[in-house]
Amino acid sequence: MKLLRVGPPGQEVPALLDSAGQLRDLSAHVADIAGAALTPAGLAAIAALDHAALPILPAGRIGPCVGQVGKFLCIGLNYADHAAESNMPIPSEPIIFGKATSAICGPNDDVLIPRGATKTDWEVELGIVIGKGGSYIPQAEALDAVAGYCVINDVSERAFQIERGGQWIKGKSADTFGPTGPWLVTKDEIDDPQNLSMWLEVDGHRYQNGSTRTMIFGVAHLVSYVSQFMSLQPGDIISTGTPPGVGMGLKPPVYLKGAEVIRLGIEGLGVQQQTVGHA
């Protein structure tokens, strides 16, 4: 299934994209694409509905595909070639940092460069949405904890991230720095999350062209690993790192200045498009 949320910010309606590409209203059956709706039982209940009988929703703004996110976690330097372009060593264990949940926005909402920013950058990433959750999840059972996957643009202000005391969360958490969606694609539709092509373009120039094949730590490893340090709950998101081609790694570096159009996508998970503005 492809689950999404449609409507103005803060007023999104839970929806399903049917096999014909029609938006179907789920609001009579679930309050939101969040929490209990993302558990195995919740997803099974949505799957059991007669999708063709659900009311059709008119096209409109697509919001972030998950609501009420409790934790927005990210994995740093999870592609060896991205670590190299960042002049950082390949990590021996996953690097975990957070983005503020207030950074989350719709996949096609404007990205706003924050005040005082000078090095705003892009990162196409595979997002894991937790469905079952728990603590100390064995790696062999980790995929059972996954509700599905989505596209994330881990927008980053490198000066805040690297030059302002070394705390990554400061460079990752500005409003609009977490475009998420367009859809949450349930895991049954993804044969292998470690074999998905991914790309990102700015003003039509393709900067990132990679695959989840080259992750250092795969989805199952990451879910299990993160759960050793904190419990995971339904609707938590783990953004799994980016392949090479970020602006910081180019020679010379290229950063967003405003008015650019960013397009990015992951095989089977849809496409995002953002126009860059200023806060």
Side-chain angles (χ1 to χ4, degrees):
M1 296 184 293
K2 294 181 174 67
L3 304 176
L4 66 161
R5 301 165 72 248
V6 181
Q11 302 174 45
E12 292 93 349
V13 173
L16 177 147
L17 187 73
D18 70 15
S19 57
Q22 292 269 26
L23 294 174
R24 299 285 181 168
D25 188 348
L26 287 172
S27 58
H29 303 277
V30 295
D32 201 353
I33 306 300
L38 296 172
T39 64
L43 291 177
I46 296 172
L49 297 172
D50 181 356
H51 296 169
L54 294 169
I56 293 176
L57 278 172
R61 171 188 175 267
I62 298 177
C65 60
V66 182
Q68 305 170 50
V69 176
K71 292 190 284 295
F72 192 6
L73 304 170
C74 300
I75 307 300
L77 305 176
N78 196 29
Y79 290 73
D81 32 14
H82 172 56
E85 72 174 354
S86 302
N87 295 314
M88 296 184 181
I90 294 173
S92 58
E93 294 188 38
I95 296 170
I96 305 172
F97 63 93
K99 283 175 91 83
T101 55
S102 52
I104 296 172
C105 65
N108 305 316
D109 292 347
D110 291 351
V111 164
L112 302 179
I113 297 173
R115 297 175 187 178
T118 57
K119 298 179 179 179
T120 304
D121 204 348
W122 56 82
E123 296 188 8
V124 58
E125 304 203 359
L126 173 69
I128 304 167
V129 180
I130 298 299
K132 186 177 177 182
S135 299
Y136 306 106
I137 300 169
Q139 189 166 327
E141 301 172 14
L143 294 184
D144 295 337
V146 176
Y149 304 97
C150 62
V151 181
I152 291 174
N153 187 357
D154 177 20
V155 186
S156 308
E157 169 48 40
R158 304 300 187 188
F160 295 177
Q161 176 189 354
I162 297 168
E163 301 166 19
R164 299 285 298 275
Q167 296 180 33
W168 288 13
I169 192 169
K170 291 188 292 192
K172 300 283 190 171
S173 292
D175 289 0
T176 76
F177 269 27
T180 302
W183 319 302
L184 184 163
V185 180
T186 52
K187 65 182 176 185
D188 58 290
E189 291 201 8
I190 303 299
D191 291 335
D192 182 3
Q194 303 307 151
N195 190 26
L196 302 175
S197 60
M198 55 203 306
W199 56 271
L200 182 145
E201 299 173 349
V202 179
D203 289 341
H205 180 86
R206 184 158 293 198
Y207 286 100
Q208 293 189 274
N209 207 18
S211 170
T212 58
R213 288 192 308 273
T214 63
M215 278 186 188
I216 299 169
F217 306 107
V219 169
H221 185 116
L222 292 173
V223 171
S224 175
Y225 184 87
V226 171
S227 77
Q228 311 305 307
F229 301 96
M230 64 197 80
S231 63
L232 295 171
Q233 281 86 37
D236 286 347
I237 296 174
I238 302 173
S239 197
T240 58
T242 197
V246 301
M248 178 178 65
L250 301 173
K251 301 188 188 315
V254 175
Y255 296 115
L256 299 168
K257 303 299 183 185
E260 299 94 343
V261 174
I262 308 170
R263 280 179 56 82
L264 60 149
I266 299 178
E267 180 182 355
L269 302 182
V271 174
Q272 301 184 354
Q273 178 171 307
Q274 300 108 28
T275 299
V276 181
H278 291 271

